Amino acid sequence: MTAIVGQRINPGVGPQNGTLPDIVVNRISGGPTYGLARSTGLIASRVQIECRAKSFSAAENLGAAVMRALKDFRGTVGDLRVTMMATGSDYAEHADDASVFRPIIDFYVWTTEPVAA
């Protein structure tokens, strides 16, 4: 994905009038998971990824690259170990003046709880 967006991967909100294409990542919801008697040690989160570009085709291509890179991803991100990642819903929208197109992809992510330092 960095071949397409460089370092333009933003948490929360992308810069207004920033260089496109870019990616905006938001954690929508999440929390610890529980078994019958106790915590499983996993955190389940819904993460939403906006793939923003100036044209519909560029936005769709970026969305497809994100899906290929993250679908079924397992590994370490910072101090978290991603144990499972699955795609949820996806949809597309655009700015009122059609200046920015953005497929929005939801992922369900299960991570281990970070180890306290």
Side-chain angles (χ1 to χ4, degrees):
M1 291 177 299
T2 57
I4 300 171
V5 300
Q7 297 300 309
R8 295 182 306 275
I9 301 173
N10 306 291
V13 178
Q16 192 171 17
N17 300 318
T19 301
L20 297 177
D22 72 358
I23 292 173
V24 178
V25 179
N26 283 293
R27 181 174 181 256
I28 303 300
S29 62
T33 61
Y34 295 90
L36 291 175
R38 60 185 166 81
S39 170
T40 64
L42 295 175
I43 298 171
S45 299
R46 180 176 149 227
V47 176
Q48 193 171 71
I49 299 178
E50 287 185 45
C51 305
R52 306 184 324 161
K54 291 182 181 181
S55 73
F56 177 80
S57 62
E60 288 293 311
N61 289 338
L62 179 55
V66 167
M67 288 285 277
R68 283 190 304 274
L70 297 181
K71 184 180 175 190
D72 300 323
F73 173 82
R74 291 176 188 198
T76 302
V77 178
D79 64 345
L80 298 176
R81 185 171 57 90
V82 177
T83 59
M84 186 172 144
M85 196 161 190
T87 55
S89 61
D90 67 287
Y91 58 97
E93 62 181 34
H94 57 80
D96 289 340
D97 63 357
S99 61
V100 178
F101 294 85
R102 56 182 176 256
I104 300 171
I105 307 164
D106 286 353
F107 285 91
Y108 296 98
V109 182
W110 288 266
T111 59
T112 57
E113 294 178 354
V115 178

